[in-house]
Amino acid sequence: MTPAAYVHLDLAAARHNLIQVKRYAPGNKIMAVIKANAYGHGITRMARVLETADAFAVARVDEGVRLRNAGFKQAITVLQGFVCAEELELLLQHQLDSVVHTPQQIAILQQHTGTNSRLNVWLKMDTGMNRLGFKGHDFAAAYQQLLSCALVQQPINLITHFANADDLLDDKTRRQIEVFTNAIKDFPGECSIANSAGIIGWPHVVSGWVRPGLMLYGCSPFAGKTGSDFGLKPIMSLHSRLIAVKDVAAGESVGYSGLWQCDRPTRLGVISIGYGDGYHRHTKSGAPVLVNGQRVPLIGRVSMDMITVDLNSQPLAAPGDPVTLWGDALPIEEIARYADTIPYTLLCGITQRVRIVEQSV
Ligand SMILES: *Cc1c(COP(=O)(O)O)cnc(C)c1O
């Protein structure tokens, strides 16, 4: 029997994707980004599978603490750093590295007393993203302040983040690279610029450390492309099963709000998957769904636990038949387009009730 809503994780694909990162960024060290529960894949699971990465990056302190509690000894960078002295204490206690991006963080570092440990920091430059980091003179001043801060391990590492690297025609990325490389050339610390889009799309950028997230999970950061266009393999596929099949007359409507009206007699399939599992509610009619390995179109509104599809092309389909919502044979990038979103949100959006089946390396 095909189980209801489950995610299959091909862990060998993760190792493959890590090797691809090395190919795209030869000579760079790799900080594998496993924030947000490793983009929905399970943070400790992915840390184990990606253990040969040079370091890990997470967004928040508690994600780093979780990795330490699970026994991981690698360098772990907390991309948002700390907001108070208590969090700084946690970073020190668990030997987590911190991005430093505000004057408030520097003040907390300066006021800290009573420990012999050192904090390894990545000072963040804002090169145009206008989210985290220091600009221009503020960056130079922050660097000087950190230099004279006893708690801060020397040398200080330097980091920035691309705003539009997924748009290869946007000149902004080139300008960001220029600003960063000019600013850092006299500093002794390690440097890091590129996320997945930067690694694939701007291969000449060498900074020392790359920070792949999405590409490790086998997806394309570029609209209109899929992971396989870049030699990547998706780790996650989402599956379920048909639970009902029925015939609906022409002119009848299907589902909530009568969003879909049948323009012909329709063999309708009901599948046990919905936004309660992480199948996006805004996915438009026409989105492909694999029933018995064959594409059929989604019709009508996505509900919490179910979706409906047009089975006219599959008169023999029956309850219990296997369904794939995305995965190897049905790129998640394509589904994201129908849902007016990006693969990131679909991966991160898988909910607790979805069973996880992993295929080990
Ligand atoms: C999430 C994140 C990354 C990884 O980005 P991808 O697009 O998933 O490769 C890299 N750097 C920072 C600062 C991030 O927040």
Side-chain angles (χ1 to χ4, degrees), residues 6 9 16 19 61 69 142 173 229 239 243 276 282 328 330 360:
Y6 70 98
L9 297 177
H16 168 88
I19 290 167
V61 175
N69 287 341
T173 304
D229 292 329
H239 305 276
I243 57 168
H282 296 294
D328 226 358
L330 185 58
S360 301

Side-chain angles (χ1 to χ4, degrees), residues 31-35 39 57-59 79-80 99 124 129 131-132 159-162 192-199 210-217 221 344:
M31 199 182 278
V33 180
I34 52 175
K35 62 191 180 187
Y39 294 45
V58 293
L79 294 168
Q80 295 180 359
V99 169
K124 187 150 194 176
M129 173 78 166
R131 201 174 57 180
L132 299 183
I159 186 168
T160 192
H161 191 51
F162 288 138
S192 177
I193 307 186
N195 56 358
S196 298
I199 293 165
V210 291
R211 307 189 305 274
L214 191 69
M215 71 183 293
L216 285 175
Y217 307 99
Y344 297 82

